[in-house]
Amino acid sequence: MYYVAHRLFAAHDRALGALIARKLADKAGHDAVFLPFCDTDEEALIAPVKGLRLFELDQARLRILSGMIAVLHGPSLDDGVCMEIGYASALGVPVVVLTTDFQTYSAGERTTRWEFPDPLMETLATRIIRVDRLGDPAKAPDRFEAFAARNTVQVELAATAAVNAVLAVSQGPRPLPVHTVVRPGTVFLEPSPYAPYPAALHEAARARATAVMTPSRFTARDSLAAARSDWDMALRAESLVLDVSGPETPPGAALLTGAAAALGRKVAAFQPRPTYTHAHGREPNWRNLMIQYGTGAHLSDPQDLTDWLTS
């Protein structure tokens, strides 16, 4: 089973996911490809708690995968896609990340560049497909149609490259699933890059934990090595506390949410100022539903953490 993870909230994003899924199905078989929204029939689905039901349907596929194509663009990475990448990576599923973004990222003007805004992403990706240039110029009646055609060619090339890559990596040696010895009483605290460091949350964790661990990848000289260390450290912790503040759940918090959900780790989301989203037939969500239902608790005050850790 192959999973195409992509942003769902605009028609052009869903169309891109469908294009990739069709190309993949032509080579792997239509029953071997799962496309969220399409294959969960999200627009027509009726359930007592619709978001939870969608989470359950997606999670059932995530546990039986041969490979994943994940589409990510721009500095604000889709938190649902990032959660799915973390889930698959923790289970040893090869993940091909596709982007047509022409930007790369870094913590400073002259520091190491990353393929994505969080270096943890590229340490987890089995392969990254970046097609960052427009297609060749084509004859067209006007410059706008010509420009549209160049973008269409770029997308077609990117989709084909991603499909070929995921078929290749899924037939080769698989990454190993995460097997770590959990350290009882420990907490991994992942701050949000979009908010001040949650010092009160840290103090609340220290009062109840044997040790509080924090990431180093955004300040370390070797950010990629530090990202791998952060991943290993987080998944050795008994509990993960993730600050999900920001326009979307930060990529690192979303990746760790997926891994914790896959491995059955205790995980809580901290968000003192939630913004709810609403969709037809679905309950209000305080974050992407993959985050909302992938985490075991939603904390809005540091005192909530004390209660959660002792529950």
Side-chain angles (χ1 to χ4, degrees), residues 59-84:
Q59 184 177 223
R61 272 56 170 221
L62 286 167
R63 301 204 71 87
I64 57 170
L65 296 185
S66 302
M68 172 184 285
I69 296 176
V71 184
L72 292 173
H73 292 107
S76 181
L77 303 182
D78 184 85
D79 43 2
V81 173
C82 291
M83 185 276 189
E84 292 162 332

Side-chain angles (χ1 to χ4, degrees), residues 189 191-192 195-207 212 214 243 270 302 305:
L189 174 59
S192 170
Y197 186 81
L201 193 67
H202 191 131
E203 288 303 311
R206 277 183 51 184
V212 178
T214 56
D243 189 341
F270 175 68
L305 175 59

Side-chain angles (χ1 to χ4, degrees), residues 57-248:
L57 292 169
D58 291 349
Q59 184 177 223
R61 272 56 170 221
L62 286 167
R63 301 204 71 87
I64 57 170
L65 296 185
S66 302
M68 172 184 285
I69 296 176
V71 184
L72 292 173
H73 292 107
S76 181
L77 303 182
D78 184 85
D79 43 2
V81 173
C82 291
M83 185 276 189
E84 292 162 332
I85 293 171
Y87 200 113
S89 297
L91 297 181
V93 174
V95 177
V96 172
V97 181
L98 169 64
T99 184
T100 58
D101 190 355
F102 54 81
Q103 303 172 113
T104 54
Y105 303 85
S106 69
E109 290 184 16
R110 295 178 177 83
T111 57
T112 303
R113 292 188 183 185
W114 312 320
E115 294 288 333
F116 298 98
D118 190 323
L120 184 56
M121 182 63 69
E122 61 195 274
T123 68
L124 298 184
T126 311
R127 189 172 299 178
I128 296 170
I129 303 296
R130 180 181 292 276
V131 180
D132 57 354
R133 302 298 297 268
L134 296 172
D136 292 335
K139 292 182 178 179
D142 61 60
R143 67 185 189 278
F144 303 120
E145 186 172 339
F147 181 66
R150 295 185 70 187
N151 281 275
T152 299
V153 170
Q154 181 183 12
V155 168
E156 288 277 351
L157 290 172
T160 299
V163 166
N164 292 338
V166 78
L167 292 173
V169 299
S170 66
Q171 294 166 11
R174 289 173 63 98
L176 294 176
V178 171
H179 290 292
T180 57
V181 177
V182 176
R183 297 168 57 188
T186 57
V187 171
F188 184 88
L189 174 59
E190 171 83 4
S192 170
Y194 308 124
Y197 186 81
L201 193 67
H202 191 131
E203 288 303 311
R206 277 183 51 184
R208 296 293 178 180
T210 58
V212 178
M213 299 171 287
T214 56
S216 64
R217 62 189 181 276
F218 291 107
T219 56
R221 178 171 296 180
D222 187 341
S223 55
L224 295 179
R228 174 56 65 181
S229 177
D230 289 348
W231 172 258
D232 294 339
M233 188 192 313
L235 299 187
R236 287 198 303 271
E238 183 175 43
S239 304
L240 285 77
V241 180
L242 313 173
D243 189 341
V244 302
S245 300
E248 295 183 82

